[in-house]
Amino acid sequence: MTFLTGWGRTAPTPATLVRPRTVEDLAALVAEAPTRGVIARGLGRAYGDAAQNAGGTVVDVTAMPDRWTLDPATGVVTASAGMSLDALMRALVPLGWFVPVTPGTRYVTVGGAVAADVHGKNHHLDSSLGAHLRSLTLVTADGTVRVLTPDDDLFWATVGGMGLTGLVAEASFACVPIETSRVSVDVERTRDLDHTLEVMAATDDRYRYTVAWIDLLARGPRMGRSVLTRGDHARRDELPAGADPLAFAPASRLAAPPWAPNGLLNRLTVRAFNEAWYAKSRERRVVQHLAPFFHPLDSVAGWNRVYGSRGFVQYQFVVPSGEEATLRRIVSRLSGRGVVSFLTVLKRFGAGTPGMLSFPMPGWTLALDIPAGQDGLAGMLREFDGWVATAGGRLYLAKDSRMRADLLPAMYPRLDEWRKIRDSVDPTGVFRSDLARRLDL
């Protein structure tokens, strides 16, 4: 047995970890599934317990060989499920292509990105990964290998389905043509939360990528002050003479210590960082490499260790457009309580996908990284859960580690539809996870 956690490093549970090499191996594992079931795991970047399976089998798909093909006429790439977005970008960017959607880290697998229907800084214009998928290869509970397209209900039960409909073996999706491996970025500071929302709503459509970093410890008239970064893929004529336009070789420049004391990220240290970051982020236009713009934390290997042995909770929710009052209420409570969140980011979502358990919807999403163990944190987040559900919003299952099962139907109104499809292809519950048990999925 191997003890596994999510990226937040909370609630470890034991499982049998297996590393198949072929799709045939996947089918055999499914056929021999133990009583506690099977769940896939990629690079372990789900923050909570989505890729854990206490007492059961966890399938490490990263042991399967990386395979990918690109149709240069259409930009459609087909990649094996265990291939990381990092490896895929290193292959595609020098050829003038970029993935259609990337979350805040390159270190997620293709299969994991499908299971979470990942979103990025371009959701307000380009939606989530599911909108760009052309087909999926799925190993279902009876060991059958099925190729699915967006015309199949099982396709949309799998996109965002947290690995509970089968084992994704391969995915095809349309990529974005690029001239360079850089991003032209506009940086702007805002005074407070209302100013942030106003500027984002008025200008987001001018940029393909946009995100706001919020100083959560700012109070009073400065509450919700932010740094906006908005950009698009840079053109060749924006690069200095002699620059290699499609060079892409990001590296981790630092490594978090193998051990860090609990409480290293506290109000004093985070307030100092916030003040310095806000002060240096004056209005300007810069040209950045892809990696620091999209994946700044990837430059620090093992950055989750900085939170200490207790780990951290990432809390991410979305509320629909028109429910900005709920967002303000949550930010106000967090600010007033002085809750420490090293990373607090706000994005505006556009249209979602037909994925029945897909997280995004038109509105506002806020994500926070909160060190575990802060006084009153559990009760406060439970209260937020209720506010979000009442507003017609939801929590992100790929980030969740603590939500109550009774809130799930309100947050995901197509849950029964998803369950019906899942039960039709997996009537005995072969595919299980700690997340599924906790939320009665």
Side-chain angles (χ1 to χ4, degrees):
M1 287 284 184
T2 302
F3 279 86
L4 300 170
T5 71
W7 191 244
R9 302 177 71 210
T10 60
T13 57
T16 300
L17 189 66
V18 296
R19 296 181 171 88
R21 296 285 297 172
T22 67
V23 175
E24 291 73 23
D25 290 344
L26 292 179
L29 283 167
V30 170
E32 300 167 2
T35 303
R36 298 284 287 181
V38 172
I39 195 69
R41 183 180 178 93
L43 291 167
R45 290 302 180 108
Y47 284 72
D49 50 5
Q52 297 171 227
N53 185 20
T57 296
V58 172
V59 180
D60 179 359
V61 297
T62 63
M64 300 176 69
D66 287 350
R67 292 192 177 94
W68 66 278
T69 60
L70 172 70
D71 181 345
T74 63
V76 172
V77 66
T78 300
S80 53
M83 190 172 188
S84 70
L85 293 191
D86 175 69
L88 194 56
M89 290 178 193
R90 290 175 189 271
L92 292 176
V93 170
L95 300 177
W97 296 95
F98 192 63
V99 293
V101 173
T102 176
T105 175
R106 300 185 305 278
Y107 298 116
V108 297
T109 60
V110 170
V114 171
D117 194 13
V118 294
H119 59 271
K121 298 178 181 180
N122 56 333
H123 193 282
H124 59 293
L125 292 182
D126 296 327
S127 193
S128 51
L129 180 63
H132 308 271
L133 287 169
R134 299 295 181 262
S135 67
L136 297 174
T137 301
L138 188 72
V139 180
T140 53
D142 60 0
T144 301
V145 180
R146 300 176 60 173
V147 177
L148 307 173
T149 70
D151 294 328
D152 302 309
D153 287 342
L154 182 56
F155 179 97
W156 292 114
T158 300
V159 175
M162 304 311 299
L164 297 172
T165 60
L167 300 177
V168 176
E170 190 176 78
S172 297
F173 49 87
C175 291
V176 177
I178 55 175
E179 294 184 24
T180 75
S181 57
R182 278 74 153 183
V183 184
S184 179
V185 183
D186 286 341
V187 180
E188 180 181 354
R189 296 188 302 195
T190 59
R191 299 183 301 271
D192 55 32
L193 182 60
D194 285 340
H195 187 210
T196 303
L197 298 178
E198 176 187 343
V199 173
M200 291 180 74
T203 65
D204 270 3
D205 291 344
R206 304 175 197 170
Y207 300 90
R208 186 164 207 158
Y209 304 103
T210 181
V211 67
W213 166 89
I214 294 181
D215 180 0
L216 200 62
L217 291 176
R219 295 185 177 185
R222 303 186 306 161
M223 185 196 79
R225 69 175 183 173
S226 304
V227 176
L228 297 179
T229 52
R230 296 161 294 173
D232 207 337
H233 295 286
R235 304 182 310 273
R236 286 188 180 225
D237 60 14
E238 295 179 89
L239 270 56
D244 183 346
L246 291 170
F248 184 74
S252 295
R253 299 178 181 177
L254 301 170
W259 176 87
N262 293 315
L264 179 63
L265 296 176
N266 54 52
R267 291 178 191 171
L268 183 63
T269 57
V270 172
R271 180 173 284 113
F273 172 83
N274 289 358
E275 291 290 346
W277 187 257
Y278 189 81
K280 76 178 287 291
S281 301
R282 299 188 181 278
E283 185 171 337
R284 66 191 188 278
R285 172 165 288 186
V286 295
V287 175
Q288 289 184 294
H289 281 272
L290 291 168
F293 179 76
F294 287 106
H295 316 116
L297 289 178
D298 284 350
S299 64
V300 182
W303 61 264
N304 59 338
R305 297 195 297 265
V306 173
Y307 288 85
S309 62
R310 286 185 293 211
F312 70 101
V313 174
Q314 179 160 115
Y315 187 74
Q316 184 169 4
F317 66 89
V318 57
V319 291
S321 301
E323 291 292 339
E324 289 79 6
T326 300
L327 174 62
R328 292 187 188 94
R329 189 181 183 191
I330 291 174
V331 172
S332 177
R333 174 67 65 85
L334 291 165
S335 177
R337 290 279 297 272
V339 171
V340 174
S341 172
F342 179 66
L343 185 68
T344 305
V345 295
L346 176 72
K347 295 191 287 285
R348 189 166 67 93
F349 279 164
T353 69
M356 297 151 205
L357 294 187
S358 182
F359 168 66
M361 65 171 69
W364 301 92
T365 182
L366 186 72
L368 310 99
D369 285 355
I370 308 173
Q374 294 188 55
D375 291 342
L377 177 63
M380 183 175 59
L381 294 183
R382 281 196 299 271
E383 189 172 24
F384 292 173
D385 294 349
W387 296 354
V388 169
T390 299
R394 57 181 64 130
L395 304 188
Y396 192 12
L397 298 182
K399 304 287 183 71
D400 179 59
S401 59
R402 35 141 313 274
M403 185 173 72
R404 303 192 319 269
D406 61 294
L407 288 176
L408 194 65
M411 292 186 175
Y412 288 87
R414 298 181 67 193
L415 178 62
D416 286 345
E417 182 183 353
W418 178 85
R419 281 176 169 150
K420 184 178 179 180
I421 294 169
R422 188 275 314 273
D423 290 347
S424 71
V425 294
D426 187 9
T428 61
V430 168
F431 299 106
R432 304 185 188 182
S433 66
D434 290 357
L435 171 79
R437 294 186 185 94
R438 176 169 56 83
L439 294 180
D440 193 24
L441 281 169

